[in-house]
Amino acid sequence: MLRIGCHLSSSKGFLAMAKTAESIGATTFQFFTRNPRGGAVKEWLPEDVAAMLEYFEKAGIAKPLAHAPYTLNACAKEERTREFALETFADDLKRLEMIPGVMYNFHPGSHVGQGAEEGIRLIADTLNKTLWQEMHTTVLLETMAGKGSEVGRSFEELRAILDRVELSDKMGVCLDTCHVWDGGYDIVEHLDDVLGEFDRIIGLERLHAVHLNDSMNPCGAHKDRHEKIGQGHIGTEAFRKIVTHPMLKNLPFYLETPNETDGYRAEIALLRGMEE
């Protein structure tokens, strides 16, 4: 069965997220580790995490995906911004050890005029300072749309980061459908070719998760504007091919579409129906 979920608010606690996920037919979910537009973090209560993990067994939920805040920029021009990224990374990874099987996804960052090569070096440097051999969390680089000075706009840039990470076995990639489409990868007409290119450059064994988002923009727009499934330029039929593709169907899928709970419930039902 398709393992699919959506982004849920962690403000009411971990057990509440698990219950919400089950109520909308999800078998996984994504959450922010802290305020996505800032640095504030609510204390994680061990008893709340334990209750969530117990609920997972009952509800068949697995593969939760933690998302770093958008303010995390490991390759920023300002040293203090890079320090914040390092501190946030270290703190998030420490706390995530409480959740077995969790993955930690982050946007590589923006080099802000320093050049992609320097951005790649700085991102890898942060990873090398924060990953450790005994950690259980898998850290995922997210594919990006390429707006502004974003790093990760191509498979080659992601591979360049991975090549510099010393504990590369702790690393993987999250493919965002809106981002790769906006980045110029035609997953509508040439999905097999795009996946083949990913395999050749990065390796499909590195692909651990997929963000399912339609796009408000045509292919190659480099704008990153998410749309509800089937209501954008990617379209319903392309998502049918994505969730049933033999190279992807066993991965966890996470919706980040502009929806509330009822909208996510409808999209999860729509995507599950594509398996039939």
Side-chain angles (χ1 to χ4, degrees):
M1 182 176 70
L2 193 67
R3 185 165 296 284
I4 185 167
C6 61
H7 190 95
L8 298 174
S9 171
S10 59
S11 61
K12 294 183 179 179
F14 287 101
L15 179 58
M17 281 193 291
K19 289 181 175 180
T20 299
E22 184 189 29
S23 74
I24 60 175
T27 50
T28 190
F29 61 86
Q30 176 179 271
F31 65 96
F32 279 117
T33 54
R34 58 186 66 218
N35 185 330
R37 301 292 180 185
V41 58
K42 184 179 178 181
E43 182 184 2
W44 291 11
L45 301 176
E47 58 268 29
D48 184 33
V49 175
M52 176 189 71
L53 296 175
E54 183 179 348
Y55 201 88
F56 278 3
E57 294 293 326
K58 168 192 167 187
I61 296 172
K63 297 287 185 181
L65 180 62
H67 200 303
Y70 295 132
T71 46
L72 191 155
N73 185 4
C75 61
K77 198 170 187 178
E78 298 78 17
E79 184 177 358
R80 179 60 196 131
T81 304
R82 296 197 303 273
E83 288 175 354
F84 168 79
L86 183 66
E87 292 162 4
T88 299
F89 234 99
D91 184 54
D92 279 356
L93 290 177
K94 180 180 178 181
R95 286 182 293 116
L96 284 168
E97 288 296 290
M98 298 169 66
I99 309 175
V102 73
M103 297 180 288
Y104 183 52
N105 179 72
F106 77 104
H107 294 183
S110 297
H111 61 72
V112 200
Q114 300 175 96
E117 185 174 349
E118 177 64 4
I120 288 164
R121 185 190 70 79
L122 290 169
I123 294 163
D125 183 58
T126 292
L127 290 165
N128 286 330
K129 288 176 179 176
T130 52
L131 305 187
W132 71 96
Q133 189 63 59
E134 296 78 18
M135 65 184 283
H136 298 103
T137 302
T138 301
V139 178
L140 306 184
L141 296 164
E142 184 170 339
T143 58
M144 302 308 294
K147 63 180 182 172
S149 61
E150 281 182 338
V151 178
R153 65 181 58 216
S154 68
F155 298 157
E156 286 85 357
E157 287 190 359
L158 295 178
R159 178 56 191 263
I161 297 170
L162 293 169
D163 283 346
R164 285 176 172 264
V165 177
E166 294 162 4
L167 297 177
S168 62
D169 60 314
K170 305 295 181 183
M171 297 293 301
V173 173
C174 174
L175 187 148
D176 186 299
T177 55
C178 172
H179 292 177
V180 294
W181 170 259
D182 278 26
Y185 293 95
D186 187 354
I187 56 174
V188 174
E189 298 294 337
H190 301 287
L191 178 60
D192 285 341
D193 292 338
V194 172
L195 293 177
E197 186 173 353
F198 185 99
D199 191 30
R200 177 176 59 81
I201 296 169
I202 298 176
L204 280 167
E205 70 279 1
R206 292 275 197 182
L207 185 57
H208 289 267
V210 178
H211 280 164
L212 289 178
N213 302 299
D214 212 323
S215 174
M216 294 183 182
N217 305 299
C219 187
H222 301 294
K223 289 184 179 179
D224 185 11
R225 296 288 303 280
H226 295 194
E227 182 56 281
K228 297 174 183 177
I229 300 298
Q231 297 185 29
H233 286 265
I234 296 176
T236 305
E237 187 53 36
F239 284 102
R240 185 186 308 278
K241 293 176 182 177
I242 289 167
V243 300
T244 60
H245 197 283
M247 294 181 180
L248 303 175
K249 65 180 182 179
N250 293 321
L251 294 172
F253 296 98
Y254 307 87
L255 291 158
E256 293 182 321
T257 50
N259 268 313
E260 299 297 333
T261 304
D262 286 344
Y264 281 133
R265 180 185 289 109
E267 286 188 337
I268 288 169
L270 170 68
L271 292 161
R272 285 206 189 286
M274 294 176 179
E275 291 183 287
E276 301 171 357

